[in-house]
Amino acid sequence: MVHFTAEEKAVITSLWGKVNVEETGAEVLGRLLVVYPWTQRFFDNFGNLSSASAIMGNPKVKDHGKKVLTSLGEAIKNMDDLKGTFAHLSELHCDRLHVDPENFKLLGNELVIVLAKYFGKEFTPQVQAAWQKMVAGVAIALAHKYH
Amino acid sequence: KVLSAAHKNNINNIKAAWKATGGHAGERGAEALERMFLSFPTTKTYFPHFDMSHGSAQIKTHGKKVADALSNAVNHLDDMPTALSALSDLHAHKLRVDPVNFKLLSHCLLVTLASHHSAEFTPVVHTSLDKFFAAVSTVLTSKYR
């Protein structure tokens, strides 16, 4: 189980407070689909994903990105029990969505990169380290119910 | 050829931006290393002799080494195996860094560039850089066995 120090929790919560969930979610999911095109395999019904600009402007991508980050926001309120928080979503991703957990790592790293882009110098190596722990914890929690 | 013309174009854009920051490539390399050591502590096992504190002279020197090698690779996109041959030998026979670690450093290089060059770091440039770092990693591990 991932354990967060009080300082790490403070760092994560404080940065999250400044994040525009809708904008960031769109950016993160969009970049996942652009940088790793094979991830588009899960989104056949999303319409036009034929180019980077089509992907970044796609309303379904934006919408889904917001959904994903909103869920992450809930997890940030429950950092001591990520596995419990994501139990249902883990089952869903395995049994219904059939998503390889490797993708959770890819998305997590895209989030870190987008946060670096938005926050610049404020996204120090220490802040990044706390967030890498966070996204690793989320990836583990989402994979926990896989069978 | 591992990198398409489109990707090479985008890398040339970032190369220009990298150069335009007035020779800060070495600092970016050092910052990427610092980020990697903090976020992925297992990577420190390859540098047991390093002073890991912020501003460490060893990290600065090594960051410049990494940045110079990447600059060389950017200048030889059509010919990376030849340009990086000596480094490839070094990693295969002497350093023997487990391949998983190249992804970790590549990620931290992307984070560093995103934080310092946010305007240039568009999704397409991001993709090209990701591919470039992956290609460099492939070349550096190509003689492992």
Side-chain angles (χ1 to χ4, degrees), chain A residues 2 12 28 35 53 61 79-80 91-92 98 111 119 137 141 144:
Chain A
V2 184
I12 290 165
V28 171
V35 179
S53 50
V61 170
M79 287 169 64
D80 286 325
E91 284 169 6
L92 183 83
H98 310 293
L111 173 61
F119 291 99
H144 186 64

Side-chain angles (χ1 to χ4, degrees), chain A residues 81-112:
Chain A
D81 184 26
L82 292 176
K83 284 185 180 151
T85 305
F86 283 114
H88 167 70
L89 275 173
S90 180
E91 284 169 6
L92 183 83
H93 280 76
C94 172
D95 300 328
R96 282 226 280 128
L97 305 177
H98 310 293
V99 175
D100 179 344
E102 182 62 28
N103 292 284
F104 307 143
K105 294 181 190 172
L106 293 180
L107 186 85
N109 280 334
E110 288 304 292
L111 173 61
V112 167

Side-chain angles (χ1 to χ4, degrees), chain B residues 10-52:
Chain B
N10 289 307
I11 286 163
N12 284 327
N13 288 339
I14 263 291
K15 183 173 76 164
W18 204 343
K19 244 184 175 168
T21 59
H24 290 285
E27 288 166 45
R28 306 293 178 250
E31 183 180 326
L33 286 172
E34 186 184 2
R35 286 181 180 280
M36 185 185 71
F37 293 141
L38 268 171
S39 282
F40 310 108
T42 53
T43 57
K44 294 188 292 183
T45 57
Y46 293 95
F47 303 91
H49 52 297
F50 262 33
D51 165 17
M52 290 295 182

Side-chain angles (χ1 to χ4, degrees), chain A residues 27 31 34-36 52 56 102 108-110 112-113 116-118 120-121 123-126 128-130 132, chain B residues 31 34-36 38-40 54 103 107-108 110-112 114-116 118-119 121-124 126-127 130:
Chain A
E27 186 81 22
R31 281 181 187 253
V34 170
V35 179
Y36 309 111
M56 300 310 288
E102 182 62 28
N109 280 334
E110 288 304 292
V112 167
I113 288 170
K117 180 176 172 290
Y118 281 144
K121 277 192 175 145
F123 200 71
T124 63
Q126 288 76 8
Q128 179 189 351
Q132 295 289 170
Chain B
E31 183 180 326
E34 186 184 2
R35 286 181 180 280
M36 185 185 71
L38 268 171
S39 282
F40 310 108
H54 179 68
K103 281 194 181 182
H107 171 68
C108 290
L110 289 173
V111 170
T112 302
S115 95
H116 286 277
S118 54
F121 201 76
T122 62
V124 175
H126 174 172
T127 305
D130 190 295

